């Protein structure tokens, strides 16, 4: 096991899925034929400058294979960004990846979800304000829900808490995984967001990892972590409709 976060194995050990490269997007494919629901996985941004691209990390390869094994086509775009100034470009790449999935004949174009990790949680605002009709749900795992205090000013578009005030009457359901050992300012923004989400009537499914750290799905190889990953996966796939269920209690 490597010492760097991007070298640490995923907390689960799913069977590797077949992967296709489409430009800057890795597609993880189910073994069965037919049209499948789909998920765009948006990895954390901005990443460590010395790290390999996040879709090559064991963590995200693990999520791709896990979801593909449950009957979902998974797209993981390579979101190259060195600073928060690049969030606009990242947001466009995520939207383009959703379009790529919807155009794929192996995908049911009306059954898509988006799963955001860490800093990519700031992208939630776009999808809360004006969700497209094909969006069945959102997921966010240890997300940033407000820019970090040490960052330069960030476009208000990337303030998910503010987006709740401007959201439509029918916001998409959100599966939110929160960790108990989070950085205090991140935890405070998650708490503020969940309080506001309930006030605005956002359908919210919380997955709590009381002893988990930011990055628990690689850092903390515990039963609590494994159960939490399965729970988040189950909740999001429920929003997508009929898919294979986990054999984990």
């Amino acid at each position: 096991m490597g010492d760097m976060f991007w070298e640490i194995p995923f907390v689960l050990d799913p069977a590797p899925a077949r992967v296709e490269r489409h430009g800057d997007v890795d597609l993880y494919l189910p073994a069965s034929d037919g049209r499948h629901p789909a998920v765009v996985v948006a990895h954390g941004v901005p990443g460590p400058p010395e790290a390999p691209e996040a879709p090559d990390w064991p963590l995200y390869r693990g999520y791709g294979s896990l979801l593909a094994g449950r009957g979902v086509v998974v797209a993981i775009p390579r979101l190259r960004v060195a600073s928060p100034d690049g969030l606009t470009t990242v947001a466009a790449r995520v939207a383009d990846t959703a379009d790529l999935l919807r155009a794929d004949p192996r995908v049911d174009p009306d059954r898509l979800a988006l799963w955001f990790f860490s800093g990519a949680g700031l992208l939630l605002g776009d999808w809360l304000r004006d969700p497209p009709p094909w969006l069945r749900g959102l997921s966010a795992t240890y997300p940033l829900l407000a820019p970090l205090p040490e960052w330069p000013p960030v476009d208000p578009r990337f303030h998910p808490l503010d987006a709740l005030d401007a959201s439509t009457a029918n916001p998409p359901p959100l599966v939110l995984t929160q960790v108990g050992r989070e950085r205090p300012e991140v935890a405070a923004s998650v708490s503020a967001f969940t309080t506001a989400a309930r006030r605005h009537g956002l359908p919210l499914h919380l997955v709590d990892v009381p002893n988990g750290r930011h990055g628990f799905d690689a850092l903390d190889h515990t039963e609590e972590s494994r159960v939490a990953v399965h729970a988040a996966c189950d909740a999001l796939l429920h929003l997508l409709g009929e898919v294979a269920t986990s054999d984990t209690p």
Side-chain angles (χ1 to χ4, degrees):
M1 181 181 295
D3 293 330
M4 298 299 186
F5 180 75
W6 52 85
E7 299 173 320
I8 300 174
F10 185 41
V11 70
L12 301 178
D13 188 26
R18 180 164 65 94
V19 182
E20 291 179 357
R21 176 69 57 82
H22 292 256
D24 284 343
V25 179
D26 292 345
L27 286 187
Y28 288 73
L29 300 171
S32 58
D33 295 329
R35 288 200 160 191
H36 303 272
V39 173
V40 177
V41 169
H43 62 75
V45 292
E50 71 276 19
E53 291 189 287
D56 296 326
W57 299 3
L59 173 66
Y60 294 110
R61 293 202 306 266
Y63 272 107
S65 291
L66 175 67
L67 290 165
R70 302 282 298 278
V72 176
V73 177
V74 182
I76 307 182
R78 296 171 183 269
L79 305 174
R80 301 181 184 93
V81 58
S83 74
D85 295 339
L87 286 173
T88 300
T89 300
V90 170
R93 291 286 295 120
V94 171
D96 288 346
T97 302
D99 290 340
L100 174 73
L101 277 177
R102 298 189 70 237
D104 193 300
R106 295 164 294 191
V107 169
D108 181 340
D110 294 319
R111 296 170 66 199
L112 264 71
L114 307 175
W115 196 335
F116 299 97
F117 289 79
S118 191
L122 296 174
L123 306 181
L124 279 168
D126 284 351
W127 305 96
L128 291 170
R129 287 186 191 90
D130 188 21
W134 48 257
L135 182 63
R136 293 293 187 91
L138 300 165
S139 188
T141 293
Y142 42 81
L144 295 189
L145 294 175
L148 293 175
E150 63 268 25
W151 284 3
V154 171
D155 190 319
R157 170 184 173 188
F158 302 114
H159 290 247
L161 182 60
D162 295 342
L164 291 172
D165 293 326
S167 65
T168 66
N170 296 299
L174 172 64
V175 179
L176 197 158
T177 301
Q178 56 185 1
V179 294
R181 298 169 63 190
E182 183 60 273
R183 184 171 167 174
E185 59 268 37
V186 177
S189 70
V190 171
S191 178
F193 179 90
T194 56
T195 298
R198 291 191 177 99
R199 186 173 66 248
H200 285 275
L202 175 71
L204 186 63
H205 181 104
L206 290 180
V207 177
D208 287 309
V209 195
N211 300 301
R213 291 174 285 177
H214 194 100
F216 76 93
D217 37 10
L219 293 173
D220 303 319
H221 281 238
T222 64
E223 184 62 16
E224 179 183 72
S225 295
R226 290 186 284 272
V227 168
V229 171
H230 278 301
C233 186
D234 289 347
L236 186 61
L237 297 190
H238 174 74
L239 298 176
L240 287 169
E242 295 294 330
V243 293
T245 57
S246 169
D247 57 6
T248 298

